[in-house]
Amino acid sequence: MNEPVFTLSAGPTTAPDRVLAAQARPITYHYDPAFLEGFRRTERKVAELFRTRQDVLLMQGEAVLGLEAAARSLVRPGMPVLNLVSGVFGKGMGYWLAAFGAELHELEAPYNDAVDPEEVDRFLAEHPEIELVAVVHCETPSGTLNPVGEIGPIAKRHGAMTLVDCVSSLAGIPIWPDEWQLDVCVAGPQKCLAGPPGMSLMTVSDDAWSAIRANPAAPRASFLSMLDWKEQWLEGGKFPFTPSVVDVHGVEAACDVILEEGLEASFERHAQAAAACREGARAMEIDLWPVSDEVAAACVTALAVPDGLTDTQVRDHCRARYGVMISGGQGAGNLVRIGHMGPTARSLYPLLGLAAVGRTLLDLGAPVKLGDGLEATLQALSKIEQVV
Amino acid sequence: MNEPVFTLSAGPTTAPDRVLAAQARPITYHYDPAFLEGFRRTERKVAELFRTRQDVLLMQGEAVLGLEAAARSLVRPGMPVLNLVSGVFGKGMGYWLAAFGAELHELEAPYNDAVDPEEVDRFLAEHPEIELVAVVHCETPSGTLNPVGEIGPIAKRHGAMTLVDCVSSLAGIPIWPDEWQLDVCVAGPQKCLAGPPGMSLMTVSDDAWSAIRANPAAPRASFLSMLDWKEQWLEGGKFPFTPSVVDVHGVEAACDVILEEGLEASFERHAQAAAACREGARAMEIDLWPVSDEVAAACVTALAVPDGLTDTQVRDHCRARYGVMISGGQGAGNLVRIGHMGPTARSLYPLLGLAAVGRTLLDLGAPVKLGDGLEATLQALSKIEQVV
Amino acid sequence: MNEPVFTLSAGPTTAPDRVLAAQARPITYHYDPAFLEGFRRTERKVAELFRTRQDVLLMQGEAVLGLEAAARSLVRPGMPVLNLVSGVFGKGMGYWLAAFGAELHELEAPYNDAVDPEEVDRFLAEHPEIELVAVVHCETPSGTLNPVGEIGPIAKRHGAMTLVDCVSSLAGIPIWPDEWQLDVCVAGPQKCLAGPPGMSLMTVSDDAWSAIRANPAAPRASFLSMLDWKEQWLEGGKFPFTPSVVDVHGVEAACDVILEEGLEASFERHAQAAAACREGARAMEIDLWPVSDEVAAACVTALAVPDGLTDTQVRDHCRARYGVMISGGQGAGNLVRIGHMGPTARSLYPLLGLAAVGRTLLDLGAPVKLGDGLEATLQALSKIEQVV
Amino acid sequence: MNEPVFTLSAGPTTAPDRVLAAQARPITYHYDPAFLEGFRRTERKVAELFRTRQDVLLMQGEAVLGLEAAARSLVRPGMPVLNLVSGVFGKGMGYWLAAFGAELHELEAPYNDAVDPEEVDRFLAEHPEIELVAVVHCETPSGTLNPVGEIGPIAKRHGAMTLVDCVSSLAGIPIWPDEWQLDVCVAGPQKCLAGPPGMSLMTVSDDAWSAIRANPAAPRASFLSMLDWKEQWLEGGKFPFTPSVVDVHGVEAACDVILEEGLEASFERHAQAAAACREGARAMEIDLWPVSDEVAAACVTALAVPDGLTDTQVRDHCRARYGVMISGGQGAGNLVRIGHMGPTARSLYPLLGLAAVGRTLLDLGAPVKLGDGLEATLQALSKIEQVV
């Protein structure tokens, strides 16, 4: 099987050359003083991306590890928890919260829409016992974004902590734990940060640490333990186990790339790439999955698959025929997704994605206005000050 | 802080250039057909290294993850378990087994010696209720090796399963799950295989799967779940979560390097490097930590630190002064360790390690016969048919 | 200055990851036995690409070095030489031939057309004294191709040797020294072979060697000497000077990539990419530079720049605004060029190039039918069995 | 054939990881603005290494190219030239000077000794017609160093230009064109700079340019032309031909490594590594080739091969048996050479080299005091403030 020519998936995504090169750096012993320095430097760089003064944890394992660790650490059996659901990742978090013993409440939005912060406010007012609100920032499977910047302060005002899945946001969409008063955030390096999958980049507030320390059910002496990292590493300088040296090298380089570019510049090009992609899709007469541009995420554009076709057909034809790897719906619906993450959120990548999807749809018998769509995408890109 | 010039630690160890290059390969989407093929190819290559027909799991997370997952999966609350302890890793496994609800029995050997299989046989004869025997193959922190090849069949004869920590053995010291009738083996890629840290390479027997499936306490829907990998990936072709693409690339390349060399050749040079190192240490009049050559592991030579000095002093001086990173005792005793793993188990690496340690000891005031030791090491190396 | 996002130039071109990785292999001593083996292996692989049994020389220095070396080696002062000119490279060769003492004859074709073999035949019939015919296979600066496969045998029939500049053809367009009876061919690795610039890949016939040995003006004891390589390296196993180890590693990997794919498959995709690009340009109403598809080269599409604009303007805007690096006219005319070389001769690269150029022309005020052009390109690509 | 485990040759030498990584950077078009910037940046960095305000030329081709180009550019037929010979490279330069038409004078020193500056002074006083003095700084094949810092001003005082072969000095041994009034210097990146072979790093004084411009025999419109680079690139911004992008990337990274370390620090560790190696060789009772420590070069230690053995035997056994690649005598005598260049001029590399050579000599039947020698080397290294 040939390697893909272009990876425009919803993550793991195309990584910059500097990240790849960093992953080829010699592997060192984890207690080598140069590695210890590098690990701490990486923590600080991740903190810069979050603009936070909270503790940063670099846990080993794809973001699912961080989410599970956070949920297990925060949820005390019997704890009243509000889970906000607007997609499959939110839904999945609910299963975990319940499994870990929470008294689970859920507010649901359709999977092509976002949670309404006023509804959250009302619910919390009616349920002052809620101690924790769980929310997904970007529901990557359906390309939508929840207003975490509004939800965080609401929760805090009602005395509840927040557990935020911002796996695909970091470095591409603003996510500010301090300003938004978020307690635990879990991001992944393999999305807008364009690093290697394999780590959970987390922020933890003092409130969260207090709750976790007080929670007898919080994992201890476990690969899933946030407390081990806090007590052994952050406070004691000893790793709970061998960190994944290669991923750490990759994550640091990915942070460097974004920090040198500037966070604002990165946010802007993610937003512009997504807007140009939506513009093109509309002109091509492909339905956008999100109910409105307001709820559409900047890191991925979800396109409805026309009736009679499946996401898998489209994704597989696109890859097999044109060498372009996009993502399917991952359970969120009959949709395909073009990622705008890291390097693919610049230059002509949105055009590439649309061209591949559009031509694929034609090949599979679905009518699309291919030329109009591509022209519209380029038109949108041509108006951007700096696409490179 | 300068990067180390030579990494002769007990792992993560120096990786071959091919492994580093593989880690710089483009990151692909985890459902890219090329990655799917590569993942399965890597499973088969790991199976070849174990010479096994059992299931192979490539779990994400340093070997500690695999060990915790295995212990949690196998141990049913109240299950009678025998834990064999000859070092800190064995000791630590006992804490876990107990924490997960086992009725724990332990046989202990001094931390510079190995478990006696006859004692195991006697114990199991006296305790026919034992359902699981946990044992560490190579106690890396103290450089000793337990006779797992004898213990496995003994356990099986007594109707007990085995859980084997062979983290540092794979590719450097024979470990044969099928021939030795082992039920769960957990190896790490960052030792003799000389790949990236960040994965657990596991074999699982049918007996083990039966026990795990029957165990209500076995992790499910969790990062720690072996069952998720079995049911979703091995049987369903869906990853339970995003695999760490970069580590997988590195592990496959590391397998390729060893498979092209030949496992027997690899075993031989690990044994020879360790023997030459011990030869030199003796001539240098540094005490070897293991009680005898018979229990000394081929992948790491543990040297007693002279009275009045600490392992940290020796390790840090060696690194700061000579750029050579070795390992300390990691709780096993006042010892330092020179790794013979992957690329460092060939050529003049054993000499390098001894020269650095020997000169460090002189610098710190401990008398050693430096010239004699180095001469003896080279003498030993010169007798080897092929050190390259 | 940002790095380019896409390099679609006429070479040096985008190299495959395997080539880049090979260039990062440890640098070895040039007499290291592994390097000696690798150098000879690379010679054989280059011979395979040429399907030749002639000597292959891997001279150090971009193809201009090989061309100069060949011209100096072959041209005896006073030697009657026919130089075929259909572009700037052919023209430049004439300056050299004259400077090195040839009695120069030239047949010229317009710079958007090809040499007519019948005219060559007639000329040689009228000038039986001609000892050498110089011809450029692909005139990369103007994107045209000369019928070297016809010219070679004609020259041989008339008793003349041939000196062929096939710098940009190798691995992308058939070039057969043996079948076509060519005496000296000079190719570059940085074009369709998609390797590093910095070497001249040459084939030399026995006739050519005889002529060179007999030529007192042929360079000897010089960086420009083909004879040094023949006598010292090919016949004596000693390098005339240190080879560029890194380039050799890159060239070998580039050969591997093509040989594993298959030469025919590579030729096919170069031809298809160029055809799709021309198709799109026509639909976009951009004038193709070559007078006809018959003389258009498969490795690069030359597009006429509309009146009122310069090639530099177009090239620079395209790079600055969209991050896509294309090539200008390099003296051949007011044209820009989209390369189809190595990795860029597959998948949607032709679309990328046209989108960038087309949108740039619009930005600069020249009317193009952007959507129609892109649609036509994709239409053409969709008909290809395998674009990946 | 296995790759070497350690490359301790006299160049090409072991390159730092950063250099290798830079060589794997994407290949760009040579007129890409980012490459243009990088090329100029590299020129400035090379100028920094030479601490010069003169023009720097980065010619393509191993240093032999630069030496030939310089000799051809400077030598006018009939020009009286003094060539200083203390080894095979000096001797070879004489052949060229004569071949290019110089009226050649030579002062010779034994091949294990250095040129005497007073003798040069006397000769030039007696031959005021001499217009050019050619001298080799480090005679790498015999591990000796000529006092170029004294010879430069002497020549200038007598009205003669200097052509300096400092191929192996740059970044390891002070070489100051401005302070020492040198006219053309030619260095190689693959020695102490530890970059890729394949380029000539040159400095050219205004006096030299005047002479070259006035020389009708100076190469023009040629790969060997310094004038082309001056007029087309330095003054016109156009490359005479495609530069070797990959080598340029590697050279820049190699400059970065040294400039970040600091030139003085680099000089010091080269000197210390060589001194420790000589110390060890003496204790081992191997004869040093250079007649005294004063004339011994810091970048390579030449060791006399005992009677009855050849340099090839020693070199090949050392490589085949221990995986350590050293250099033979390259025509300078029956000697082998351990390089101290770039990364190998630090840490325990000198010990490694001596251990390999010493044990090889024992294997081949020559008596050496192996232990004493290694002990002495380590003793010397232990006295250095900072070997890492």
Side-chain angles (χ1 to χ4, degrees):
Chain A
M1 168 56 72
N2 282 322
E3 294 295 317
V5 181
F6 299 107
T7 291
L8 293 175
S9 68
T13 191
T14 302
D17 309 303
R18 275 173 66 182
V19 169
L20 300 180
Q23 291 165 187
R25 284 175 52 200
I27 293 176
T28 56
Y29 188 52
H30 53 305
Y31 284 114
D32 190 284
F35 181 75
L36 292 171
E37 260 189 36
F39 195 90
R40 295 211 175 89
R41 216 167 41 223
T42 306
E43 287 172 336
R44 287 194 300 272
K45 288 173 182 175
V46 170
E48 271 194 77
L49 293 178
F50 276 116
R51 289 189 186 153
T52 188
R53 297 183 173 196
Q54 298 180 4
D55 277 348
V56 161
L57 292 190
L58 307 182
M59 287 187 80
Q60 187 180 133
E62 195 259 337
V64 153
L65 174 278
L67 291 168
E68 181 179 357
R72 284 187 188 270
S73 295
L74 288 166
V75 174
R76 227 181 36 249
M79 179 192 260
V81 174
L82 172 61
N83 186 40
L84 306 177
V85 180
S86 64
V88 291
F89 279 175
K91 196 70 193 167
M93 177 52 80
Y95 297 138
W96 263 347
L97 295 168
F100 304 157
E103 182 198 304
L104 185 65
H105 302 262
E106 289 195 332
L107 282 178
E108 296 216 27
Y111 282 19
N112 61 352
D113 207 343
V115 169
D116 177 0
E118 291 184 17
E119 211 182 326
V120 176
D121 198 7
R122 275 194 303 276
F123 189 94
L124 291 176
E126 290 160 15
H127 296 77
E129 75 280 12
I130 297 286
E131 295 182 36
L132 177 69
V133 176
V135 61
V136 176
H137 192 205
C138 172
E139 264 290 349
T140 328
S142 37
T144 55
L145 195 75
N146 281 313
V148 168
E150 297 175 57
I151 293 166
I154 289 170
K156 202 48 101 182
R157 212 167 53 238
H158 289 284
M161 292 182 297
T162 40
L163 163 48
V164 182
D165 169 344
C166 55
V167 171
S168 64
S169 329
L170 190 66
I173 301 171
I175 172 79
W176 309 130
D178 294 10
E179 189 184 332
W180 297 353
Q181 300 171 264
L182 311 175
D183 290 289
V184 176
C185 290
V186 182
Q190 77 273 27
K191 307 284 184 174
C192 296
L193 186 53
M199 295 195 79
S200 296
L201 313 179
M202 304 168 69
T203 63
V204 192
S205 73
D206 288 343
D207 285 0
W209 281 131
S210 300
I212 295 171
R213 283 191 213 266
N215 180 8
R220 284 168 174 83
S222 168
F223 199 84
L224 283 169
S225 173
M226 293 169 66
L227 278 175
D228 289 359
W229 278 95
K230 173 70 168 167
E231 294 169 5
Q232 293 177 43
W233 170 247
L234 292 188
E235 295 171 2
K238 297 281 171 200
F239 291 116
F241 49 81
T242 307
S244 47
V245 176
V246 178
D247 292 296
V248 175
H249 287 168
V251 169
E252 183 178 13
C255 292
D256 287 340
V257 168
I258 296 292
L259 291 171
E260 287 176 22
E261 175 186 15
L263 265 175
E264 295 300 335
S266 180
F267 295 154
E268 202 179 338
R269 68 179 164 78
H270 281 82
Q272 289 165 337
C277 191
R278 291 195 302 268
E279 207 66 38
R282 271 189 281 261
M284 220 178 258
E285 297 186 354
I286 301 178
D287 288 338
L288 292 164
W289 181 264
V291 73
S292 69
D293 274 17
E294 285 63 43
V295 305
C299 60
V300 63
T301 295
L303 305 168
V305 170
D307 288 344
L309 296 176
T310 68
D311 63 342
T312 312
Q313 272 178 297
V314 174
R315 189 192 69 175
D316 291 354
H317 181 95
C318 191
R319 170 67 170 85
R321 214 52 195 70
Y322 301 106
V324 180
M325 189 74 220
I326 57 167
S327 291
Q330 216 177 333
N334 195 22
L335 56 90
V336 290
R337 293 174 294 151
I338 297 173
H340 318 293
M341 293 177 166
T344 66
R346 67 164 76 244
S347 183
L348 303 186
Y349 278 108
L351 178 92
L352 254 180
L354 270 181
V357 169
R359 185 63 236 181
T360 288
L361 291 174
L362 279 183
D363 291 350
L364 299 177
V368 301
K369 297 195 164 172
L370 194 50
D372 291 354
L374 299 181
E375 199 162 317
T377 311
L378 284 168
Q379 173 76 3
L381 292 175
S382 77
K383 289 182 183 154
I384 300 172
E385 184 98 20
Q386 183 55 288
V387 291
V388 181
Chain B
M1 169 55 72
N2 282 321
E3 294 294 317
V5 181
F6 299 106
T7 291
L8 293 175
S9 68
T13 192
T14 303
D17 310 303
R18 277 172 67 182
V19 169
L20 300 179
Q23 291 165 186
R25 285 176 51 198
I27 293 176
T28 56
Y29 187 52
H30 53 305
Y31 284 113
D32 191 285
F35 181 75
L36 292 171
E37 260 188 35
F39 195 90
R40 293 210 175 90
R41 217 167 42 224
T42 307
E43 289 172 336
R44 288 194 299 273
K45 288 174 182 175
V46 170
E48 270 193 77
L49 292 179
F50 276 115
R51 291 192 183 146
T52 187
R53 299 184 170 194
Q54 298 180 5
D55 278 347
V56 161
L57 291 190
L58 307 183
M59 286 188 81
Q60 187 180 132
E62 194 260 339
V64 152
L65 174 280
L67 291 168
E68 181 181 357
R72 284 186 187 271
S73 296
L74 288 166
V75 173
R76 227 180 39 249
M79 178 192 260
V81 174
L82 171 62
N83 186 40
L84 306 177
V85 179
S86 63
V88 289
F89 278 176
K91 196 70 193 169
M93 176 52 80
Y95 296 138
W96 264 345
L97 296 169
F100 304 156
E103 182 199 304
L104 184 66
H105 303 261
E106 288 195 333
L107 281 178
E108 296 216 26
Y111 281 19
N112 62 351
D113 205 343
V115 169
D116 176 1
E118 291 186 16
E119 211 181 328
V120 176
D121 198 7
R122 275 195 302 274
F123 189 94
L124 291 175
E126 289 160 16
H127 297 79
E129 75 280 12
I130 298 286
E131 295 183 38
L132 177 68
V133 176
V135 61
V136 176
H137 192 206
C138 171
E139 264 291 348
T140 328
S142 38
T144 54
L145 194 75
N146 281 313
V148 168
E150 295 174 59
I151 293 167
I154 289 170
K156 200 50 98 183
R157 212 167 55 236
H158 290 284
M161 292 182 299
T162 40
L163 162 48
V164 181
D165 169 344
C166 56
V167 171
S168 63
S169 329
L170 189 66
I173 302 172
I175 172 81
W176 309 129
D178 294 10
E179 189 184 333
W180 298 352
Q181 300 172 267
L182 311 175
D183 289 289
V184 176
C185 290
V186 182
Q190 77 273 28
K191 307 284 185 174
C192 296
L193 187 52
M199 296 195 78
S200 296
L201 314 179
M202 304 167 69
T203 63
V204 192
S205 73
D206 289 342
D207 285 359
W209 281 130
S210 301
I212 295 171
R213 282 192 213 267
N215 180 7
R220 285 168 173 82
S222 169
F223 198 85
L224 283 169
S225 174
M226 294 170 66
L227 278 175
D228 288 359
W229 279 95
K230 173 70 168 167
E231 293 169 7
Q232 293 177 43
W233 170 247
L234 293 188
E235 295 170 3
K238 298 279 173 203
F239 291 116
F241 49 83
T242 307
S244 46
V245 177
V246 178
D247 292 298
V248 174
H249 288 167
V251 169
E252 182 177 13
C255 292
D256 287 341
V257 169
I258 295 292
L259 291 171
E260 288 176 21
E261 174 185 15
L263 265 174
E264 294 301 336
S266 180
F267 296 155
E268 202 179 336
R269 70 178 163 78
H270 281 82
Q272 288 164 338
C277 191
R278 292 195 300 268
E279 206 67 37
R282 270 190 281 261
M284 220 177 259
E285 298 187 351
I286 301 178
D287 288 338
L288 294 163
W289 181 264
V291 71
S292 69
D293 273 18
E294 284 65 41
V295 304
C299 60
V300 62
T301 295
L303 303 168
V305 170
D307 289 344
L309 296 176
T310 68
D311 62 344
T312 313
Q313 272 179 296
V314 173
R315 187 192 72 176
D316 291 354
H317 181 96
C318 191
R319 170 65 170 86
R321 212 55 195 68
Y322 300 106
V324 179
M325 190 74 220
I326 58 167
S327 292
Q330 217 177 334
N334 195 24
L335 56 90
V336 291
R337 293 173 295 149
I338 297 172
H340 318 293
M341 293 178 165
T344 64
R346 67 165 78 246
S347 183
L348 302 188
Y349 278 109
L351 179 91
L352 254 178
L354 271 181
V357 170
R359 185 61 235 181
T360 288
L361 291 175
L362 277 183
D363 291 352
L364 299 177
V368 301
K369 297 195 165 173
L370 194 49
D372 291 355
L374 300 180
E375 198 162 321
T377 311
L378 285 167
Q379 172 77 2
L381 293 173
S382 76
K383 289 182 182 152
I384 300 171
E385 185 98 20
Q386 181 56 286
V387 289
V388 182
Chain C
M1 169 56 74
N2 282 322
E3 295 294 317
V5 181
F6 299 107
T7 291
L8 293 175
S9 68
T13 192
T14 303
D17 310 303
R18 276 173 66 182
V19 169
L20 300 180
Q23 292 166 185
R25 284 175 52 199
I27 294 176
T28 56
Y29 187 53
H30 52 305
Y31 284 114
D32 191 285
F35 181 76
L36 292 171
E37 260 188 36
F39 195 91
R40 295 210 174 89
R41 216 166 44 224
T42 307
E43 289 172 335
R44 287 194 299 273
K45 289 173 182 175
V46 170
E48 272 193 78
L49 294 178
F50 276 116
R51 289 190 185 151
T52 187
R53 298 184 171 194
Q54 297 180 5
D55 277 347
V56 161
L57 291 191
L58 308 182
M59 286 187 80
Q60 186 181 132
E62 194 260 339
V64 152
L65 175 277
L67 291 168
E68 182 180 355
R72 284 186 187 270
S73 295
L74 288 167
V75 173
R76 226 180 39 248
M79 178 192 260
V81 173
L82 172 62
N83 186 40
L84 306 176
V85 180
S86 64
V88 291
F89 279 174
K91 196 68 191 171
M93 177 52 81
Y95 297 137
W96 265 345
L97 295 169
F100 305 156
E103 183 198 304
L104 185 66
H105 303 261
E106 288 195 331
L107 281 177
E108 296 215 28
Y111 282 19
N112 62 351
D113 206 343
V115 169
D116 176 1
E118 291 185 16
E119 213 182 322
V120 176
D121 198 6
R122 274 195 303 275
F123 189 93
L124 290 176
E126 290 161 14
H127 296 78
E129 74 281 12
I130 299 288
E131 294 183 37
L132 177 68
V133 176
V135 62
V136 176
H137 192 207
C138 173
E139 263 291 348
T140 328
S142 37
T144 55
L145 195 74
N146 281 312
V148 168
E150 295 175 60
I151 293 166
I154 288 169
K156 202 48 102 184
R157 212 166 54 237
H158 289 284
M161 292 182 298
T162 40
L163 162 47
V164 182
D165 169 344
C166 55
V167 170
S168 63
S169 329
L170 189 66
I173 303 172
I175 172 79
W176 309 130
D178 293 11
E179 189 183 334
W180 297 353
Q181 300 172 266
L182 310 175
D183 290 290
V184 175
C185 290
V186 181
Q190 77 274 28
K191 308 283 185 175
C192 296
L193 186 52
M199 296 195 78
S200 295
L201 313 178
M202 305 167 69
T203 63
V204 191
S205 73
D206 289 343
D207 284 0
W209 281 131
S210 301
I212 294 170
R213 282 191 212 267
N215 181 7
R220 286 167 173 85
S222 169
F223 198 85
L224 284 168
S225 173
M226 294 170 65
L227 278 175
D228 288 359
W229 279 94
K230 173 70 169 168
E231 294 168 7
Q232 293 175 43
W233 170 247
L234 292 188
E235 295 170 3
K238 297 280 171 200
F239 291 116
F241 49 83
T242 307
S244 46
V245 176
V246 178
D247 292 297
V248 175
H249 288 167
V251 169
E252 183 176 15
C255 292
D256 287 341
V257 169
I258 296 292
L259 292 170
E260 288 175 21
E261 174 186 15
L263 265 174
E264 294 301 335
S266 179
F267 295 155
E268 202 179 337
R269 71 179 162 78
H270 281 82
Q272 289 164 338
C277 191
R278 291 195 302 268
E279 207 66 37
R282 269 189 283 261
M284 220 178 259
E285 298 187 352
I286 300 178
D287 288 337
L288 292 164
W289 181 264
V291 73
S292 69
D293 275 17
E294 284 65 41
V295 305
C299 59
V300 63
T301 295
L303 305 168
V305 170
D307 287 344
L309 296 176
T310 67
D311 63 343
T312 312
Q313 273 179 296
V314 174
R315 188 193 70 176
D316 291 353
H317 181 95
C318 191
R319 170 67 170 85
R321 211 57 193 67
Y322 300 106
V324 180
M325 189 74 221
I326 58 167
S327 291
Q330 216 177 334
N334 194 23
L335 57 89
V336 291
R337 295 174 292 150
I338 297 172
H340 318 293
M341 292 178 166
T344 66
R346 67 165 78 245
S347 180
L348 303 187
Y349 278 109
L351 178 92
L352 253 180
L354 270 181
V357 170
R359 185 63 236 181
T360 287
L361 291 175
L362 277 184
D363 291 351
L364 299 178
V368 301
K369 298 195 164 172
L370 195 49
D372 291 355
L374 299 181
E375 198 162 319
T377 311
L378 285 167
Q379 173 76 3
L381 292 174
S382 77
K383 290 182 182 151
I384 300 172
E385 185 97 22
Q386 182 55 286
V387 291
V388 182
Chain D
M1 169 56 71
N2 282 322
E3 295 295 318
V5 181
F6 299 106
T7 291
L8 293 176
S9 68
T13 191
T14 303
D17 309 303
R18 278 173 65 182
V19 169
L20 301 179
Q23 292 165 186
R25 285 176 49 199
I27 293 176
T28 56
Y29 187 51
H30 53 305
Y31 284 114
D32 190 285
F35 181 75
L36 292 171
E37 260 189 34
F39 196 89
R40 294 210 175 91
R41 217 168 41 224
T42 307
E43 288 172 335
R44 286 195 300 272
K45 289 174 182 175
V46 170
E48 272 193 77
L49 293 178
F50 275 116
R51 291 193 183 147
T52 188
R53 298 182 171 195
Q54 298 181 4
D55 278 348
V56 161
L57 291 190
L58 307 182
M59 287 187 79
Q60 187 181 130
E62 194 260 338
V64 152
L65 174 280
L67 291 169
E68 182 179 357
R72 284 186 188 272
S73 296
L74 288 167
V75 174
R76 228 180 39 248
M79 180 192 259
V81 174
L82 171 61
N83 186 41
L84 305 178
V85 180
S86 64
V88 290
F89 279 176
K91 196 71 193 168
M93 177 51 79
Y95 297 137
W96 263 346
L97 295 169
F100 304 157
E103 183 199 303
L104 185 65
H105 303 261
E106 289 195 331
L107 282 177
E108 296 215 27
Y111 281 20
N112 60 353
D113 206 342
V115 170
D116 176 0
E118 292 184 16
E119 211 181 327
V120 176
D121 199 6
R122 274 195 303 274
F123 189 92
L124 289 176
E126 289 159 17
H127 297 79
E129 74 280 11
I130 297 288
E131 295 182 36
L132 177 68
V133 176
V135 61
V136 176
H137 192 206
C138 172
E139 264 291 347
T140 328
S142 36
T144 54
L145 194 74
N146 281 314
V148 168
E150 296 175 59
I151 293 166
I154 289 170
K156 202 47 100 183
R157 213 167 53 236
H158 288 284
M161 293 182 297
T162 39
L163 163 46
V164 181
D165 169 345
C166 55
V167 171
S168 63
S169 328
L170 190 66
I173 302 172
I175 172 80
W176 310 130
D178 294 10
E179 188 183 334
W180 298 352
Q181 300 172 265
L182 310 175
D183 290 289
V184 175
C185 289
V186 182
Q190 76 274 27
K191 306 285 184 172
C192 296
L193 187 52
M199 296 195 79
S200 295
L201 314 179
M202 304 167 69
T203 63
V204 192
S205 73
D206 289 341
D207 285 359
W209 281 130
S210 301
I212 295 170
R213 282 192 213 265
N215 180 8
R220 285 168 173 82
S222 169
F223 199 84
L224 283 169
S225 174
M226 292 169 66
L227 278 175
D228 289 0
W229 277 94
K230 172 70 169 167
E231 293 168 6
Q232 294 177 43
W233 170 247
L234 293 188
E235 295 170 3
K238 297 279 173 202
F239 291 117
F241 49 83
T242 308
S244 46
V245 177
V246 178
D247 292 297
V248 175
H249 287 168
V251 169
E252 183 178 12
C255 291
D256 287 341
V257 169
I258 295 292
L259 291 171
E260 288 177 21
E261 175 185 16
L263 266 174
E264 294 301 335
S266 180
F267 295 155
E268 202 179 335
R269 70 178 162 79
H270 281 82
Q272 289 164 338
C277 192
R278 291 195 302 267
E279 207 66 36
R282 270 190 281 261
M284 220 177 258
E285 298 185 354
I286 300 178
D287 288 338
L288 293 164
W289 181 264
V291 73
S292 69
D293 273 17
E294 285 64 41
V295 305
C299 60
V300 62
T301 295
L303 304 169
V305 170
D307 288 344
L309 296 176
T310 69
D311 62 342
T312 313
Q313 272 179 297
V314 173
R315 187 191 72 177
D316 292 355
H317 181 94
C318 191
R319 169 68 170 85
R321 213 55 194 69
Y322 300 106
V324 180
M325 189 74 221
I326 58 166
S327 291
Q330 216 176 332
N334 195 26
L335 56 91
V336 291
R337 293 175 294 151
I338 297 172
H340 318 292
M341 294 179 165
T344 65
R346 68 165 75 246
S347 181
L348 303 188
Y349 278 108
L351 178 91
L352 254 179
L354 271 181
V357 170
R359 185 62 235 181
T360 288
L361 290 175
L362 278 183
D363 290 352
L364 299 177
V368 301
K369 297 195 163 171
L370 195 49
D372 291 353
L374 299 180
E375 198 162 318
T377 310
L378 284 168
Q379 172 77 3
L381 292 174
S382 76
K383 289 183 184 152
I384 300 172
E385 186 98 19
Q386 182 56 286
V387 291
V388 181

